[in-house]
């Protein structure tokens, strides 16, 4: 049975954390001391992206931009006053902007971005933070004077106890099917991006059937208490119990402000459902009231990976990413998914027009070996743009 990440450590009563174990190992070695950071993901319309990057430039924060799209339901009345509505899915292009900041300053940085893009208004975008360990060339930089001087939205109540569900799918078109499920359940506005699989099974055929290397990636941020149920439901709908269909995993979100505009169309009431949801979230101080499913109600034939997992992400130049992925394969870590990102580096040095972000979800028992192998061949010592991040992943599902 898959539960939250609650395995106690051997010597204390603290919750087991694979990323914290990696931190202790590397601190003891002293070669590459990791930084305790928050990775902030901002998802905004392409027209708003320049405002975000301008704010980050003023703060001296490097960031990486990935292209994607959000999916919403478009509701129209039937012609000739016929009863009922016509519901279709509508995609809109977005920029997915990721960057890391010291954990203590994450909320202030998010407040500045919420203000500049008016993210408190449904439909403008989402932003959320995840606590992780980061290995990089320099100590994290942040212009504290500029941050203090920036206007921030302090009235909006950001939500905590959230989870990010990442679905990596091999079958073309299956991403929109899962997005529709998320919209029908009223979970969130799903984000779809694309990537390339690097597992050996993604490059070879299986009984005359070639598993395409191209992947659809669906990201869903939702209340933590529903994550077990939704993982099981999505696993069943995407038939992830079958080899080569894809996999799904969960990572924790410490704080976030989510876009609640899941439906588009003519508004027929004084307040939209999105405005009502946002108001109740604020009054309740969270999203627990939104619980939709009991995980015991959802069955699946998917096989569980070990309960405690890690998401390891590598951001590097395209010329070096292959060697870094090989380092993962040497210790049995398979299934890396790579995407192209555009770096916005404020130093102006060693800047590449396009870089590669490679993410891999592995059992906690492999985390130290994978990170050690990556650090042995990384160019972190000489390149400001290279980063390795380790994030807890309480649960994952894929076929054996």
């Amino acid at each position: 049975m898959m539960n939250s990440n609650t395995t106690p450590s051997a010597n204390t009563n603290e919750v087991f954390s694979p990323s914290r174990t990696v931190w202790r190992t590397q601190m003891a070695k002293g070669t590459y001391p990791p930084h305790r950071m928050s990775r902030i993901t901002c998802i905004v319309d392409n027209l708003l992206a320049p405002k975000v990057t301008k704010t980050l430039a003023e703060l001296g924060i490097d960031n990486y931009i990935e292209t994607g799209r959000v999916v919403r339901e478009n509701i129209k009345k039937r012609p000739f006053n016929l009863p009922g509505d016509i519901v279709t899915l509508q995609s809109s292009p977005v920029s997915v902007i990721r960057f890391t900041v010291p954990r203590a300053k994450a909320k202030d940085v998010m407040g500045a971005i919420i203000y500049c893009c008016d993210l408190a208004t449904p439909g403008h975008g989402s932003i959320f933070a995840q606590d992780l360990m980061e290995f990089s060339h320099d100590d994290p930089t942040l212009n504290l004077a500029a941050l203090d001087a920036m206007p921030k939205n302090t009235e909006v109540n950001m939500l905590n106890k959230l989870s990010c569900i990442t679905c990596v799918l091999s079958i073309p078109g299956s991403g929109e099917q899962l997005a529709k499920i998320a919209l029908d359940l009223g979970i969130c506005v799903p984000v779809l991006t694309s990537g390339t699989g690097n597992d050996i099974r993604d490059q070879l055929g299986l009984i005359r059937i070639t598993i395409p290397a191209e992947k659809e990636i669906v990201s869903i941020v939702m209340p933590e208490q529903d994550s077990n149920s939704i993982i099981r439901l999505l696993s069943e709908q995407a038939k992830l119990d079958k080899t080569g269909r894809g996999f799904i995993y969960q990572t924790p979100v410490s704080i976030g402000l989510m876009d609640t505009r899941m439906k588009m169309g003519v508004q027929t009431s004084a307040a939209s459902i999105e405005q009502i949801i946002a108001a109740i979230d604020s009054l309740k101080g969270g999203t627990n009231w939104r619980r939709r499913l009991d995980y015991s109600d959802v069955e699946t034939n998917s096989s569980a990976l070990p309960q405690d997992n890690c998401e390891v992400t590598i951001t590097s130049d395209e010329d070096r990413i292959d060697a870094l992925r090989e380092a993962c394969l040497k210790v049995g870590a398979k299934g890396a998914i790579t995407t192209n990102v555009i770096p916005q580096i404020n130093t102006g040095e060693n800047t590449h027009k396009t870089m590669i972000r490679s993410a891999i979800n592995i059992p906690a028992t492999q985390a130290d070996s994978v990170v050690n192998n990556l650090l042995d061949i990384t160019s972190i010592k000489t390149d400001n743009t290279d980063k390795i991040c380790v994030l807890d992943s309480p649960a994952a599902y894929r076929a054996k």
Side-chain angles (χ1 to χ4, degrees), residues 51-214:
K51 290 187 176 182
V52 178
T53 55
K54 180 176 182 292
T55 299
L56 296 177
E58 293 174 2
L59 294 174
I61 298 174
D62 298 341
N63 59 91
Y64 302 83
I65 304 176
E66 180 182 354
T67 59
R69 57 192 176 100
V70 294
V71 179
R72 297 183 173 92
E73 287 185 339
N74 188 23
I75 302 176
K76 294 182 178 179
K77 293 292 184 183
R78 290 185 179 276
F80 309 113
N81 292 323
L82 293 173
D85 298 320
I86 300 174
V87 180
T88 57
L89 295 183
Q90 179 170 316
S91 296
S92 303
V94 293
S95 295
V96 181
I97 305 171
R98 296 185 182 91
F99 55 93
T100 55
V101 297
R103 293 183 188 179
K105 297 299 179 182
K107 189 171 183 179
D108 287 341
V109 173
M110 292 171 71
I113 295 175
I114 292 170
Y115 179 87
C116 78
C117 294
D118 192 18
L119 296 186
T121 299
H124 282 207
S126 302
I127 188 169
F128 60 91
Q130 298 177 284
D131 293 339
L132 48 70
M133 302 297 172
E134 179 183 87
F135 300 87
S136 56
H137 176 268
D138 295 322
D139 290 337
T141 58
L142 177 62
N143 189 332
L144 296 177
L147 180 60
D148 291 340
M150 279 187 177
K152 304 173 186 67
N153 189 330
T154 58
E155 296 180 358
V156 62
N157 289 324
M158 285 187 276
L159 306 175
N160 52 25
K161 294 184 178 180
L162 301 172
S163 285
C164 179
I165 307 300
T166 302
C167 314
V168 181
L169 305 168
S170 299
I171 308 302
S174 53
E176 290 210 355
Q177 294 176 12
L178 292 195
K180 187 176 189 308
I181 294 172
L183 291 170
D184 289 344
L185 290 173
I187 298 172
C188 72
V189 177
V191 181
L192 275 65
T193 55
S194 60
T196 304
N198 300 99
D199 193 331
I200 185 67
R201 291 178 302 174
D202 296 322
Q203 309 299 337
L204 301 178
L206 288 175
I207 315 177
R208 300 174 61 187
I209 299 176
T210 300
I211 301 172
E214 293 73 24

Side-chain angles (χ1 to χ4, degrees), residues 8-53:
S9 65
N11 300 319
T12 68
N13 292 324
E14 67 183 13
V15 173
F16 173 69
S17 168
S19 64
R20 192 182 297 122
T21 301
V22 170
W23 178 81
R24 289 169 178 160
T25 300
Q26 297 303 324
M27 288 297 290
K29 291 177 65 175
T31 307
Y32 293 98
H35 309 291
R36 295 179 184 238
M37 306 288 284
S38 286
R39 180 176 69 200
I40 297 176
T41 302
C42 182
I43 303 156
V44 293
D45 185 272
N46 291 341
L47 295 177
L48 291 175
K51 290 187 176 182
V52 178
T53 55

